[in-house]
Amino acid sequence: MNYYALTPDVIVDAMMSIGLHVDSGLMALNSYENRVYRFKSDQDGALVAKFYRPQRWSQAQIQEEHDFLFALAKAKVRVALPLVREQQSVFVFNDMLFAVWPAVAGRQFEADNLDQLEALGEQLGRLHQVGVTFPLLHRPTLSTDDYLLRARKVLATEAQIPAKLKDEFFKRLDALIARTCVLYQPKQQLTLHCDCHASNILWHDGPWLLDFDDCRTGPAVQDLWMMLSGSRQEQLMQLDTLLAGYENVREFDSSELALIEPLRAMRMVNYMAWLAARWSDPAFPANFPWFNTPDYWQQQLGVLDEQLQLLAAPPLSLTSWN
């Protein structure tokens, strides 16, 4: 069954297949890659069901994400754990993979709150302590092959770039890819959240890390850099605060700061390719109307130039802050 055709009746039947009753709610949540619904069960409370996009992750890859969550919770990392039924947390209904979580109560994480930022740093340190000892056997590594070279092929075949901009766009993109491939040379890699930004964190007596859907292997700084914003001095202050919490738990290799701009470039290109690849999904034109327009691709020429300048600039250095 195609998960685009999920109806309330199908969702209710899927929940009943694992012994859950949908007593009220069944509200679609903001998710583009998967289909996610919140509902209430009188027996189990508020729950969130996630139906995974077909062909994105295998059942073994999803199970590996869940197993990582169980290992994190055992190490006192604040994560939501999927429900387990008959020793399983990944379920199949009508050929669709799905899982169910208790709904996490909390308020929005305040990225400009230094106390919250330091507490997040400590949680990420605990997460990485586990990540060092939890190798992924089925999930991919954060790599330039995937985030840049594969993404470029997607953009070349799927993106609706105006003909008059196409040559210049790919000229600048290729320069960005070449420079990033030289600079992105991580020394140590571990299992990461990999998509750690404010929208994937809730605050309830501390930070709760949500949505490990992009979990994979990569350098530790990947879970830190997306929390940095503003001027260089503001970013240094935020980084210093994050690391004050992080290094209560484990040491951070400051040489990884040189990976921040390469990682930003990789995320930027991968994001464009993700939108282009998903454009046939009706949810994407409806929610990203600015993408695939002539104005968007014209703006990307400047964005690529700006990122090339950042790649050429000296990386952040804590010695210049302290």
Side-chain angles (χ1 to χ4, degrees), residues 38-198:
R38 182 186 174 107
F39 65 94
K40 186 174 181 182
S41 166
D42 287 345
Q43 182 177 357
D44 297 279
L47 299 171
V48 174
K50 176 193 286 188
F51 291 83
Y52 292 90
R53 180 179 289 272
Q55 283 82 55
R56 180 163 185 260
W57 296 124
S58 68
Q59 187 165 350
Q61 288 171 321
I62 297 170
Q63 188 62 62
E64 197 164 45
E65 170 205 337
H66 292 188
D67 292 343
F68 185 44
L69 289 171
F70 291 122
L72 291 174
K74 188 175 181 181
K76 309 300 182 185
V77 182
R78 293 188 182 93
V79 293
L81 294 179
L83 297 188
V84 176
R85 293 289 187 271
E86 296 180 0
Q87 299 183 321
Q88 287 185 292
S89 60
V90 184
F91 310 107
V92 184
F93 184 78
N94 287 353
D95 296 323
M96 292 181 292
L97 298 172
F98 74 96
V100 183
W101 279 262
V104 176
R107 65 180 189 271
Q108 185 174 358
F109 180 79
E110 300 170 14
D112 59 350
N113 183 317
L114 296 184
D115 290 336
Q116 291 192 16
L117 207 57
E118 183 173 350
L120 173 63
E122 183 173 348
Q123 286 297 298
L124 291 174
R126 294 184 186 280
L127 186 156
H128 291 172
Q129 263 194 329
V130 177
V132 169
T133 61
F134 194 98
L136 297 177
L137 303 180
H138 303 287
R139 284 186 165 243
T141 297
L142 179 58
S143 70
T144 54
D145 282 352
D146 187 14
Y147 276 58
L148 294 178
L149 304 182
R150 178 204 57 81
R152 189 201 187 282
K153 291 179 182 178
V154 171
L155 289 169
T157 58
E158 303 292 337
Q160 298 171 18
I161 305 171
K164 65 180 181 180
L165 299 177
K166 204 164 190 176
D167 286 347
E168 188 59 33
F169 174 83
F170 281 104
K171 177 182 177 182
R172 299 186 196 189
L173 177 61
D174 287 342
L176 182 82
I177 290 173
R179 184 61 180 156
T180 303
C181 287
V182 170
L183 294 176
Y184 184 68
Q185 302 292 335
K187 293 189 297 184
Q188 183 187 35
Q189 302 197 73
L190 59 146
T191 300
L192 305 168
H193 181 289
C194 206
D195 194 27
C196 184
H197 52 76

